[in-house]
Amino acid sequence: MHHSTSQFSSQSVSSQPSISLTAPSANANSAVAASLDSAAHAKAIQLASTTLETCATACVGNPTAAMSAAHIVTTLLWQSMRWDPSSPRDAACDRLVLSDAAFSSILYAACADLGVPAFIDGAWRPLTTADLAKFGAADGPLPVTPTAHTAGTIALFEHPVTAHGAGVSHAVGSALAARLDGVDRRAFVLVSDAELREGQLWEALAHIAEERLTLVVPIFVVGTPATTDRSANIDGPDALVRRLAALGFHASAIDGHAPAQIRTAVDEIAAKAKESRPTAIVARTTKGWGAKSLQGGAWSGRIPTGDKLKAALEELRSTRVGLTRSFGADIARPTARAKHAAAATPSLADNLAAVPDFARAMRDADMFAVYQSGRLASRRAHALALRTLGRAHPGTVVLEADARAGGASELFAQDRTLLSRAFDLKSAESHMVSVASALAAHGKVAFAAASARGFVRAHEGIESAARAGAHTTFVATNAGLGALTAGASEAAVGDVAWFRGIAAQRDSAGNPSGYLLQPSDAFAAYALTLAAAEHDGVCFMRIPSGEQEFLYNAETVFNLGRFEILFDGTDLLIVTAGAMVHEVNRALDGLDEAGISATIIDLYSIPFDEEALLDLANENGGRILVVEDNSGGALAAAVSEACTASGDAFTIESMCVQVLPTSARTYDEALKAAGLSAADIVARARRMMGSRPRAQQ
Amino acid sequence: MHHSTSQFSSQSVSSQPSISLTAPSANANSAVAASLDSAAHAKAIQLASTTLETCATACVGNPTAAMSAAHIVTTLLWQSMRWDPSSPRDAACDRLVLSDAAFSSILYAACADLGVPAFIDGAWRPLTTADLAKFGAADGPLPVTPTAHTAGTIALFEHPVTAHGAGVSHAVGSALAARLDGVDRRAFVLVSDAELREGQLWEALAHIAEERLTLVVPIFVVGTPATTDRSANIDGPDALVRRLAALGFHASAIDGHAPAQIRTAVDEIAAKAKESRPTAIVARTTKGWGAKSLQGGAWSGRIPTGDKLKAALEELRSTRVGLTRSFGADIARPTARAKHAAAATPSLADNLAAVPDFARAMRDADMFAVYQSGRLASRRAHALALRTLGRAHPGTVVLEADARAGGASELFAQDRTLLSRAFDLKSAESHMVSVASALAAHGKVAFAAASARGFVRAHEGIESAARAGAHTTFVATNAGLGALTAGASEAAVGDVAWFRGIAAQRDSAGNPSGYLLQPSDAFAAYALTLAAAEHDGVCFMRIPSGEQEFLYNAETVFNLGRFEILFDGTDLLIVTAGAMVHEVNRALDGLDEAGISATIIDLYSIPFDEEALLDLANENGGRILVVEDNSGGALAAAVSEACTASGDAFTIESMCVQVLPTSARTYDEALKAAGLSAADIVARARRMMGSRPRAQQ
């Protein structure tokens, strides 16, 4: 990493507004159009120059890629989008979503030029050109990949830039929120050619096409590959247009450096929307546009400094002279859109107060006979909680990948008044996770359900949602060993380990990045669903398949970060969670026969109250047996870490899925094959106690 | 889960060969075609009946979906594929790859009928119809989702069924291996309509289209959605044909229950291959084909038993009467294809013996001056090791997602003799991981590189590869905090946690499912690359960005499962790995000044020698400080678990990435922002020692 000596040039192209041009009307004559073009070129070149200087100072960023988007950014923000630079998150304003961070520097330049609000040092104020000197600095307001949270953010970036290919999913979330809120704002999303092979992009595009989400407008900012390049047939502008058209998009390839073509493409969206056809724009662009010396592969991804920078800035000035007229090179500030008067919606907290408890909810749902049977699928209790939440709070939304399989949204979607807030995402799990996270950014309380295995596929999106602090609960149905009856490829046994890695991170306020919740019965599933809704952040809830007997009752209170003591003993602390709680319970008789007095806790939340757990361990001779239906002993690791941090001596043994069985016809067969049946638990506890003297009590 | 009383019916349709029909010639007259059709219908109906009975006995499986593939399976295996049922893994034989496990029961039925070799109870023997009674049983040879490893497997299933959408990637791996081995076998792959929205499927299809992999033939087994269903415009047969054609496929929709149409579609592949056009077949099918009572949504995914089963079997018999002629209903056994005489290739072990050490390899590469500088990017040492391996062993293959960014394959691909074994997978990480795993199934030693962040996206595929025991190393370039200079969305700080979850699993022989390797310098990167190649299983190697000073020399030996002691002390054991080793080294002076005598170990492998580590900890007063550039203290958790399993008292403190900085311009800035600089390490060690009495030595 070398440091540039270049500073922000005082000679950079500036544009003091002198003549204000209004936005184009349908009858705009060619003179007006030429003036608009001239102004757009001037502004695009100014932003490109600023970008070059910003990146040279910071020694980070991708200036030539950013320059390829100069006209698109300029034309959208100044001429085509209906928005208000001083209040871009108003519900009525069109959105500009960034999918590839390569364009971030030029968007920052535009925001500084327009004075878009930025949250800096604890307060909102207009971003200035001087702020650009902080581009890429640690925890500054202008990270290379824009965030939408933590210490600093720019109001334009409502959604963080996360994985390649995820931006279109964020735009879909924005559009779905708009539809629910009854506003017609559009979400433009800039996609780069580096993202075209990412599967999630195509998941999102298929969703837009199927649901005819005409409020989402993907804009592909692509270079023109050499015709000798085989990938041109797949990723080149014409190939892209063909592929998008095959999906049902109105797609056309335009010159991404011709402002008039950009404006026309945007103007056409409304007409196509009337035909229920979503629009996609494929913009042919040039990396390092406007500065010949930066074009071609050699400068791709690199940062010119010193003389190279000077030469490039000079080239941009010459380009400007060629393209802008002597007058009319100034651009009008975007006309502020009329603000959306948001209906005063009651807060989630107020609404939650009215939510009935589980027994009452079962009665209301004509399921009291089932309730009295003392047995219910936790999944159904969760589904009931979702419907109850949906009725109580209008911001509740439920997404499901392959809805028919999981059933989480079953009751919710059966209620006609809630139907518009239930989304079936087919089997596009990665896309679903990003959409849920984006809906949360628009104030929704999102629940997204898929099989536990499906969420492994969406690992990255969940990590990003946690980092963004999205108010979202990911509900893994069919968690644990029950899924083995559908085959090993349907079972997820590593999910506790990876989600625990996410939960262990902290946000800037020191709070956990997420909670892992494992309900073991219907009471827990119902109550933890409500608790997750209340938590303004990410939860990951593992719901076991099958029916479970009730372990709890109306008096049991469930809180994030706590656990429940099921049995009080003196010899051995058994820690377990989820479906395994029932198997540990089944081991009680065997433990009794063996003369082992066990304390059993249902560790339904991670993180958990570590001190309380260690106290219990000490009361049980420091012996802990952890029983879990996951691989690698993730729960055991959590308990181990708490113990070793204390410095006291403990003995921990871990029972977990060491070898995943390849198949099983029943849940009991799966437990036996994995060595996690009640008999296995008794045998392990006996061995553990046999190898150490019993505590003298 | 209920148990059926139904048994394998003794009246099931049987077909004792009486008349043998030869495969169709180009001039096959209509009488021959009709006979072929008749025979195919009879066999398809027989397999469908067997499937219904198999699923009813096992109470698992998806019989109606399996029935929708009856004619495709029959026509491919008996009439169109060039293969040998008694030796399906011979290099010359066409492959049938399964993407969705929903079809597994009918493939098992076909394998039993043909006596395909199965590995049962430790030996290969032909599968029999009686074996079908074991369908879905725990760890039996016929799991619901076929595996390609462990206790039992059928020779037809060379690739396990893993995630939805991954089968086409496996077929691509098979085709790439065929190309390298100089054989013209084709890989047919059955894709279901439940997979159409999975992003990885479209990653794989784009790759086939770009590389014109005409040896891969995706066959989409799809139902016909109602025209009122919006998804028909995206996933319906005609929409699929349109989308595949837009990618460059020769695609046509056929009746998936018309044997002649299936045969014709397969016959056309060769002609299109001559034009470099890959073929995709879209087959319109009916769930529960042949038994009206099972058709329609109500039976989708359900298993008829008792009277329902009887009725369905009776319907199938009637269907057979209507479709097969009184003679010619018997089908010829597939003609065995001439075996491929595999060239005798020396084993990897023999070839590795000839591989030069790092110093020698640097000299050979004209990089001795760099070697003498004592400083080199670990990434480049890895790239050198790959080229050395590639030259020494013809089975070495290197895959890279976004090759230009990572550079792992740089030297490898520059060697013209190796170029054909280097694959650029663009940014399709999930696809790449499945392809690598499939190449390993064909005897290749695969290295697949992507950014550490990209691999998060491919988490599920890596888990599947580990479960399959694939001989594959996943190389995460730009691992750790160095990636922050490209933005938080490029940094992966949870990868140790999730890969450790995989490594903690055991295969059926009790070996770890994977090794996590973290080289800290060029010597380590070179040696661990060779060690990973030697290990017949999955490794995940984290290579830090930037250059590193040499810590080791030609004498250092690196072995999976070991660690290296860098410094011997008495007060405090510091455990670290990867790039963080250098930062801990930088802290040495500060520790000295504070009067702290630290033992430092480079824990470059997980799993590791736990006893040796605990001995060192005990020699250092039981105090352990773990320093890692990952979130959630995954390395600390590994050490904690080893400690608590021992029952002794240890104090472990963990320094890790608790809050991920949003950005950083330099690596040093990133370390400081994450609280992991040398100064932070000294401060933490002082606090730790201050809070406890120094060991008396």
Side-chain angles (χ1 to χ4, degrees):
Chain A
M1 199 56 56
H2 61 292
H3 285 275
S4 155
T5 54
S6 103
Q7 295 298 318
F8 286 99
S9 161
S10 58
Q11 313 128 19
S12 75
V13 180
S14 74
S15 92
Q16 296 305 320
S18 55
I19 309 176
S20 259
L21 294 166
T22 54
S25 75
N27 301 324
N29 61 36
S30 65
V32 172
S35 287
L36 284 168
D37 282 4
S38 180
H41 278 303
K43 183 58 74 183
I45 289 166
Q46 176 203 328
L47 298 181
S49 305
T50 307
T51 285
L52 276 172
E53 292 170 313
T54 304
C55 293
T57 304
C59 276
V60 290
N62 191 340
T64 60
M67 289 161 83
S68 72
H71 291 90
I72 292 161
V73 166
T74 303
T75 312
L76 283 174
L77 290 181
W78 270 268
Q79 299 181 327
S80 290
M81 269 170 57
R82 306 183 299 235
W83 72 304
D84 178 357
S86 63
S87 180
R89 293 193 189 176
D90 183 83
C93 287
D94 283 348
R95 282 357 194 215
L96 183 56
V97 180
L98 188 56
S99 187
D100 187 336
F103 309 130
S104 67
S105 55
I106 200 148
L107 279 166
Y108 284 137
C111 287
D113 194 75
L114 289 165
V116 170
F119 192 79
I120 296 176
D121 296 332
W124 289 98
R125 65 159 172 79
L127 194 73
T128 68
T129 308
D131 291 323
L132 297 177
K134 294 169 201 149
F135 178 59
D139 289 323
L142 304 172
V144 176
T145 51
T147 53
H149 72 304
T150 67
T153 187
I154 313 296
L156 190 75
F157 298 107
E158 203 166 19
H159 306 285
V161 176
T162 58
H164 267 186
V168 181
S169 303
H170 293 150
V172 166
S174 176
L176 293 177
R179 204 168 70 182
L180 291 177
D181 295 342
V183 291
D184 65 349
R185 68 157 183 267
R186 297 166 299 183
F188 297 92
V189 48
L190 301 188
V191 183
S192 83
D193 48 15
E195 305 182 83
L196 299 178
R197 294 297 175 93
E198 291 289 355
Q200 187 179 338
L201 172 64
W202 295 93
E203 293 180 352
L205 293 170
H207 185 207
I208 295 170
E210 178 185 7
E211 295 289 332
R212 295 166 190 175
L213 300 173
T214 53
L215 292 176
V216 186
V217 185
I219 301 181
F220 295 89
V221 184
V222 296
T224 312
T227 46
T228 52
D229 185 350
R230 273 192 171 176
S231 71
N233 295 322
I234 312 297
D235 306 327
D238 297 332
L240 260 184
V241 166
R242 211 165 54 229
R243 293 173 69 189
L244 290 162
L247 266 171
F249 278 89
H250 166 65
S252 51
I254 62 167
D255 177 351
H257 299 293
Q261 290 190 34
I262 300 168
R263 288 194 305 272
T264 304
V266 173
D267 287 345
E268 283 174 4
I269 296 169
K272 296 297 167 185
K274 279 190 194 131
E275 305 164 13
S276 287
R277 269 189 97 180
T279 294
I281 299 172
V282 177
R284 287 193 194 86
T285 61
T286 305
K287 287 202 169 70
W289 181 90
K292 263 257 165 347
S293 66
L294 301 184
Q295 294 166 18
W299 279 100
S300 178
R302 291 182 55 214
I303 302 167
T305 55
D307 289 345
K308 296 283 179 194
L309 172 65
K310 266 193 196 155
L313 290 172
E314 194 47 59
E315 288 174 291
L316 278 170
R317 268 187 289 272
S318 311
T319 305
R320 181 172 187 265
V321 171
L323 282 171
T324 60
R325 303 181 308 173
S326 52
F327 60 95
D330 296 320
I331 199 159
R333 187 179 166 81
T335 322
R337 195 175 205 205
K339 289 248 164 68
H340 178 76
T345 47
S347 75
L348 171 71
D350 291 345
N351 286 335
L352 272 186
V355 166
D357 72 5
F358 179 51
R360 174 86 221 168
M362 288 291 280
R363 204 186 290 271
D364 291 351
D366 288 332
M367 288 166 75
F368 203 67
V370 177
Y371 177 79
Q372 286 177 310
S373 77
R375 204 179 158 77
L376 181 70
S378 299
R379 175 179 69 71
R380 295 191 66 202
H382 167 69
L384 182 64
L386 286 186
R387 186 174 69 183
T388 310
L389 269 170
R391 287 174 177 169
H393 184 64
T396 316
V397 295
V398 176
L399 301 88
E400 196 159 14
D402 202 355
R404 281 160 303 185
S409 67
E410 200 173 49
L411 295 172
F412 192 94
Q414 273 169 16
D415 183 330
R416 280 199 186 174
T417 63
L418 305 179
L419 187 58
S420 65
R421 290 188 263 140
F423 304 101
D424 176 5
L425 278 285
K426 303 283 156 67
S427 53
E429 294 90 356
S430 303
H431 170 57
M432 177 183 74
V433 162
S434 300
V435 171
S437 163
L439 279 160
H442 289 278
K444 307 301 173 198
V445 177
F447 284 83
S451 70
R453 180 69 182 210
F455 277 124
V456 180
R457 227 159 286 164
H459 179 165
E460 187 178 22
I462 293 177
E463 201 170 282
S464 299
R467 202 163 287 153
H471 195 154
T472 308
T473 299
F474 300 106
V475 182
T477 57
N478 220 6
L481 292 171
L484 264 182
T485 57
S489 72
E490 302 296 315
V493 291
D495 51 342
V496 172
W498 70 258
F499 194 84
R500 196 174 80 86
I502 293 172
Q505 281 205 61
R506 294 275 177 271
D507 66 18
S508 50
N511 298 315
S513 279
Y515 283 92
L516 172 68
L517 304 174
Q518 303 196 59
S520 57
D521 83 344
F523 280 93
Y526 187 87
L528 287 172
T529 301
L530 301 185
E534 224 172 333
H535 173 65
D536 187 9
V538 162
C539 292
F540 184 80
M541 192 182 295
R542 292 180 87 224
I543 299 193
S545 51
E547 289 189 351
Q548 288 83 34
E549 271 170 37
F550 293 170
L551 297 170
Y552 299 111
N553 55 49
E555 269 69 56
T556 324
V557 176
F558 294 88
N559 285 312
L560 306 195
R562 307 303 295 263
F563 56 80
E564 189 66 26
I565 304 171
L566 286 167
F567 222 82
D568 248 320
T570 53
D571 298 339
L572 176 67
L573 174 64
I574 303 184
V575 179
T576 187
M580 292 311 299
V581 174
H582 297 270
E583 207 57 25
V584 169
N585 265 354
R586 245 165 253 137
L588 270 176
D589 285 347
L591 292 169
D592 248 10
E593 274 170 36
I596 299 170
S597 160
T599 300
I600 299 176
I601 64 174
D602 173 359
L603 196 73
Y604 60 75
S605 166
I606 289 181
F608 55 90
D609 182 342
E610 300 191 352
E611 267 182 55
L613 189 138
L614 294 186
D615 286 347
L616 281 176
N618 279 320
E619 288 165 18
N620 284 270
R623 286 175 294 272
I624 308 175
L625 175 61
V626 185
V627 183
E628 57 189 304
D629 58 2
N630 223 257
S631 66
L635 214 61
V639 174
S640 283
E641 285 185 86
C643 291
T644 53
S646 76
D648 295 337
F650 294 95
T651 301
I652 301 183
E653 293 206 13
S654 156
M655 294 182 75
C656 63
V657 183
Q658 285 223 300
V659 183
L660 182 68
T662 52
S663 205
R665 286 175 173 174
T666 63
Y667 178 57
D668 282 342
E669 203 177 294
L671 282 175
K672 280 200 193 85
L676 290 171
S677 69
D680 295 314
I681 296 165
V682 173
R684 176 66 83 93
R686 289 183 85 122
R687 212 165 67 215
M688 227 180 137
M689 295 307 297
S691 64
R692 308 197 161 260
R694 292 274 305 266
Q696 310 297 324
Q697 310 259 352
Chain B
M1 199 56 58
H2 62 291
H3 286 277
S4 155
T5 54
S6 105
Q7 296 299 320
F8 286 99
S9 161
S10 58
Q11 314 127 19
S12 76
V13 181
S14 73
S15 91
Q16 297 303 322
S18 54
I19 308 174
S20 260
L21 293 168
T22 53
S25 76
N27 302 323
N29 61 36
S30 66
V32 171
S35 285
L36 284 168
D37 282 5
S38 179
H41 278 304
K43 182 59 73 182
I45 289 167
Q46 176 202 330
L47 298 181
S49 304
T50 306
T51 286
L52 276 173
E53 292 171 313
T54 303
C55 294
T57 303
C59 277
V60 291
N62 192 341
T64 59
M67 288 162 84
S68 73
H71 291 90
I72 292 161
V73 166
T74 302
T75 312
L76 283 175
L77 290 181
W78 270 269
Q79 298 181 328
S80 289
M81 270 171 59
R82 304 183 299 236
W83 73 304
D84 177 357
S86 62
S87 180
R89 292 193 189 176
D90 183 84
C93 288
D94 282 349
R95 279 4 189 211
L96 183 57
V97 179
L98 188 55
S99 187
D100 186 336
F103 309 130
S104 67
S105 54
I106 201 149
L107 278 166
Y108 285 137
C111 288
D113 193 75
L114 288 166
V116 170
F119 193 79
I120 296 175
D121 297 331
W124 289 99
R125 64 158 172 81
L127 193 72
T128 67
T129 309
D131 291 323
L132 297 176
K134 294 170 202 150
F135 178 59
D139 289 324
L142 304 172
V144 176
T145 52
T147 53
H149 70 305
T150 67
T153 187
I154 314 295
L156 190 76
F157 296 107
E158 204 165 18
H159 307 284
V161 176
T162 59
H164 267 186
V168 181
S169 304
H170 292 150
V172 166
S174 175
L176 293 176
R179 204 168 71 183
L180 291 177
D181 295 343
V183 289
D184 66 349
R185 68 158 183 266
R186 298 165 296 184
F188 297 92
V189 49
L190 301 188
V191 183
S192 83
D193 48 15
E195 306 182 81
L196 299 177
R197 293 298 175 91
E198 291 288 357
Q200 186 180 337
L201 172 64
W202 295 93
E203 294 181 351
L205 293 170
H207 184 209
I208 295 170
E210 179 185 6
E211 296 288 332
R212 296 167 190 174
L213 300 173
T214 52
L215 292 176
V216 186
V217 185
I219 302 180
F220 295 89
V221 183
V222 296
T224 312
T227 47
T228 52
D229 184 350
R230 272 192 170 176
S231 70
N233 296 322
I234 312 298
D235 305 328
D238 298 332
L240 260 183
V241 165
R242 211 165 55 229
R243 293 173 69 190
L244 291 161
L247 267 171
F249 279 89
H250 166 64
S252 51
I254 62 167
D255 176 350
H257 299 293
Q261 291 190 34
I262 300 168
R263 289 194 305 271
T264 304
V266 174
D267 287 344
E268 283 175 5
I269 296 168
K272 296 296 165 185
K274 279 190 193 129
E275 304 164 15
S276 286
R277 270 191 98 180
T279 294
I281 299 172
V282 177
R284 286 193 194 88
T285 61
T286 305
K287 286 202 169 70
W289 181 90
K292 263 258 165 347
S293 67
L294 300 183
Q295 294 168 18
W299 279 100
S300 178
R302 291 184 54 216
I303 301 168
T305 55
D307 288 345
K308 296 283 181 194
L309 172 64
K310 264 192 195 157
L313 290 172
E314 192 48 55
E315 287 175 290
L316 279 170
R317 266 187 289 272
S318 309
T319 305
R320 179 172 187 264
V321 171
L323 282 171
T324 60
R325 304 182 307 172
S326 53
F327 61 92
D330 295 319
I331 199 160
R333 188 179 165 82
T335 321
R337 195 174 206 204
K339 291 246 163 69
H340 179 74
T345 48
S347 75
L348 171 70
D350 291 345
N351 286 336
L352 273 186
V355 167
D357 72 5
F358 179 51
R360 173 87 223 168
M362 288 292 280
R363 204 185 291 272
D364 292 349
D366 288 331
M367 290 167 73
F368 203 66
V370 176
Y371 178 79
Q372 286 178 311
S373 78
R375 204 177 158 77
L376 181 70
S378 300
R379 177 179 68 71
R380 294 191 65 203
H382 168 69
L384 182 64
L386 285 187
R387 187 174 68 182
T388 311
L389 269 171
R391 287 173 178 171
H393 184 65
T396 316
V397 295
V398 175
L399 300 88
E400 197 160 14
D402 203 355
R404 283 159 301 185
S409 67
E410 202 173 47
L411 296 173
F412 192 93
Q414 274 169 16
D415 184 331
R416 280 200 187 176
T417 64
L418 305 179
L419 187 58
S420 65
R421 290 187 263 142
F423 304 101
D424 175 5
L425 278 285
K426 305 284 157 65
S427 53
E429 295 90 355
S430 302
H431 170 58
M432 177 182 75
V433 162
S434 300
V435 172
S437 163
L439 278 161
H442 289 279
K444 308 300 173 199
V445 178
F447 284 83
S451 71
R453 180 70 182 207
F455 277 125
V456 179
R457 227 159 286 164
H459 179 166
E460 188 180 20
I462 293 177
E463 202 171 281
S464 299
R467 203 164 286 153
H471 195 155
T472 308
T473 299
F474 300 106
V475 182
T477 57
N478 220 7
L481 292 170
L484 264 180
T485 58
S489 71
E490 302 295 316
V493 291
D495 51 342
V496 173
W498 69 258
F499 194 84
R500 197 173 80 84
I502 293 172
Q505 281 206 58
R506 295 277 178 271
D507 66 18
S508 51
N511 298 314
S513 279
Y515 282 92
L516 173 67
L517 304 174
Q518 302 197 59
S520 58
D521 82 343
F523 280 94
Y526 187 88
L528 287 173
T529 302
L530 301 186
E534 224 173 333
H535 174 63
D536 187 9
V538 162
C539 293
F540 184 79
M541 192 181 294
R542 293 180 86 224
I543 298 192
S545 50
E547 288 189 350
Q548 288 83 33
E549 272 170 37
F550 292 169
L551 296 171
Y552 300 109
N553 56 48
E555 270 70 56
T556 324
V557 177
F558 293 87
N559 285 312
L560 307 197
R562 307 304 294 263
F563 56 80
E564 190 65 28
I565 304 172
L566 286 167
F567 222 82
D568 248 321
T570 53
D571 297 340
L572 176 67
L573 173 63
I574 304 185
V575 179
T576 187
M580 293 311 298
V581 174
H582 298 269
E583 207 57 25
V584 170
N585 265 354
R586 243 165 254 139
L588 271 176
D589 286 347
L591 291 169
D592 249 10
E593 273 171 38
I596 299 170
S597 159
T599 300
I600 299 175
I601 65 174
D602 173 359
L603 196 70
Y604 61 75
S605 165
I606 289 181
F608 55 90
D609 182 341
E610 301 191 352
E611 267 181 54
L613 188 139
L614 294 187
D615 286 348
L616 281 175
N618 279 321
E619 288 165 17
N620 284 270
R623 285 176 293 272
I624 308 175
L625 175 60
V626 185
V627 183
E628 58 189 303
D629 59 2
N630 221 256
S631 67
L635 214 62
V639 174
S640 281
E641 285 186 86
C643 292
T644 53
S646 77
D648 295 338
F650 295 95
T651 301
I652 302 183
E653 292 206 14
S654 156
M655 294 182 75
C656 62
V657 183
Q658 285 224 302
V659 183
L660 182 69
T662 53
S663 207
R665 286 175 174 175
T666 64
Y667 178 57
D668 282 342
E669 205 176 293
L671 281 175
K672 278 200 194 84
L676 290 171
S677 70
D680 295 313
I681 295 165
V682 173
R684 176 66 83 94
R686 288 185 87 122
R687 213 164 67 212
M688 226 180 138
M689 295 307 297
S691 64
R692 307 195 164 263
R694 291 276 305 265
Q696 310 296 325
Q697 310 258 355

